[in-house]
Amino acid sequence: MTFRAPKGTDDILPPVSRTWRRLLLTWEDWAARYGYELVLTPLFEATEVFARGTGEGTEVVQKQMYTFEDKGGRSLTLRPEGTPSVVRAFLEAGADGILKAAYWGPMFRYERPQAGRRRQFYQIDVEYLGSREAAADAEVIELGYRYLIDASVPGLSVQINSIGDRECRPAYLEVLKEYLESRRDVLCDDSLLRLTTNPMRVLDCKICAPKLSDAPSPVDYLCDACTTHYGEVRSILRELGVPFEATPRLVRGLDYYERTAFEYVATDLKAAQNAVGGGGRYDGLAELLGGRPVPGVGFALGLDRIVLTLGDVEEPNPLDLYIIVTAGRRREALRFTSELRRSGIRADLDVESRSVKAQFRAADRRGAAGALVIGDEWSEGRVVAKDLASGHQEIIRIEEVEAWTRRL
Ligand code: HAM
């Protein structure tokens, strides 16, 4: 009997995993540059955290959660997203002031699997908690944009909108419902259901949206405070040099958003799933979780989708040095490789005692910059050093190896 990874999940192995690693290392750098700190929360939470946080009206909660009872009879859910968890952690810690959280990891949603839509998928996230200022929205949007550009996502477009807040949204929803009622005949079955539970989501329906181009937009019904906030977000983004498209019909799939909503779209990606990330402001989420009001804004980027946009480029896993071991010098080679590694050099060697020729071939395959042969010269304190790019070979003293390698 052979086992396969569960449907909708992936094993991410080399060489593909090299791209993932590069994306994560680049991410660590960008998050640190903007002052975000690591926050880790459990991969599962009490089901209520998502039922209340992500929202009963969302597809995620209604259809996609991996919910189970543990041996103590508690209802737990594998996290379908991280935002409610981080807000829960902030409230539980009795934290105050500002928290700029960055994290990444697997999320779980029971979806119909396809390219870019997985049951276990990976997100890169930030949450900026504790500020209502438009500058926080703009900073978050900028960070995602700069990172995705650095990650080389082709055809990137930043789409933003304001979907109003608790003050102005009810009036908009009335107008929208009235409009949708008048268009019942063109709505699909899902949209007919959403008409009562979550009418804004109808604007997001791939089947219905093209037929609803004259639907009222949330931006036309914003209260003064939301209008000012949205204007400021856009003007700061211009100041920061972040190109964006104001997209009046952009809505998001999660209930907690108010005011700013945005998506990063890889317009070159032919797949249906071309939203490589999305986020927005969620000033009411902490209260939904039973806490005191804590404003917040954040985003999540879909790593699986980012990798899809990059296509099939095979990335190297470059080594500085490949150590070639000759008969009788195995111990010396192991010890010397360990020393090199401790001094910060990326070095590897063959433990299989293969022929020197086979080891040179491995050095090339591994993309090493140089190769060292630990052979007869070792007893005189020397090694053969070969620059694998130029083919130039020389004998150098062991003490010179580090400096020689750094010149490669
Ligand atoms: P979301 O729009 O549900 O937002 O997901 C964000 C991104 O995760 C999507 O744009 C997509 O790239 C990726 N994604 C979602 N579902 C899947 C899937 N099944 N397979 C592959 N990729 C997927 C959130 O999750 C919010 N927590 C974002 C946020 C953070 N808002 C504020 N702070």
Side-chain angles (χ1 to χ4, degrees), residues 81 83 109 111 116 118 121 123 127 252 256-257 275 277 298 302:
E81 57 142 344
T83 311
R109 296 184 192 175
E111 303 230 39
R118 315 302 296 153
F121 60 99
Q123 282 185 347
E127 314 294 351
R252 302 266 302 131
Y256 48 63
Y257 291 116

Side-chain angles (χ1 to χ4, degrees), residues 60-77:
V60 171
V61 171
Q62 283 173 4
K63 298 187 188 158
Q64 300 177 341
M65 296 214 295
Y66 281 92
T67 297
F68 60 98
E69 200 170 279
D70 75 0
K71 293 191 195 315
R74 304 169 190 87
S75 177
L76 298 173
T77 293

Side-chain angles (χ1 to χ4, degrees), residues 337-403:
T337 308
S338 160
E339 274 172 33
L340 291 169
R341 288 168 170 166
R342 279 176 279 150
S343 63
I345 289 174
R346 288 172 297 182
D348 208 357
L349 82 177
D350 175 57
V351 294
E352 304 285 334
S353 308
R354 289 184 300 167
S355 71
V356 167
K357 208 167 149 197
Q359 293 183 62
F360 265 111
R361 270 204 305 272
D364 272 334
R365 236 191 353 264
R366 294 287 304 275
L372 290 188
V373 185
I374 312 292
D376 293 341
E377 302 79 4
W378 183 265
S379 54
E380 301 148 20
R382 291 165 200 276
V383 290
V384 176
K386 183 170 179 183
D387 178 334
L388 291 173
S390 70
H392 177 73
Q393 189 166 305
E394 57 192 312
I395 295 183
I396 60 173
R397 297 194 56 74
I398 291 172
E399 308 83 70
E400 291 166 358
V401 166
E402 222 186 294

Side-chain angles (χ1 to χ4, degrees), residues 309-355:
T309 68
L310 302 181
D312 286 333
V313 278
E314 192 167 304
E315 299 195 18
N317 181 30
L319 281 177
D320 299 317
L321 279 184
Y322 198 86
I323 312 295
I324 306 223
V325 195
T326 60
R329 295 283 179 208
R330 201 173 137 89
R331 286 294 161 121
E332 289 88 335
L334 288 170
R335 208 179 51 237
F336 189 49
T337 308
S338 160
E339 274 172 33
L340 291 169
R341 288 168 170 166
R342 279 176 279 150
S343 63
I345 289 174
R346 288 172 297 182
D348 208 357
L349 82 177
D350 175 57
V351 294
E352 304 285 334
S353 308
R354 289 184 300 167
S355 71

Side-chain angles (χ1 to χ4, degrees), residues 60 64 80-84 103 107-109 111 114-123 125-128 252-254 256-257 262-264 273-282 296-306:
V60 171
Q64 300 177 341
E81 57 142 344
T83 311
Y103 55 105
M107 307 288 160
F108 308 86
R109 296 184 192 175
E111 303 230 39
Q114 50 181 287
R117 175 162 288 175
R118 315 302 296 153
R119 289 183 175 170
Q120 175 169 328
F121 60 99
Y122 294 79
Q123 282 185 347
D125 291 68
V126 301
E127 314 294 351
Y128 191 144
R252 302 266 302 131
L254 309 174
Y256 48 63
Y257 291 116
F262 59 94
E263 285 196 340
Y264 302 101
Q273 312 309 327
N274 66 358
V276 289
R281 179 161 278 287
Y282 47 82
V297 57
F299 66 65
L301 309 176
L303 259 169
D304 310 68
R305 291 189 192 174
I306 295 173

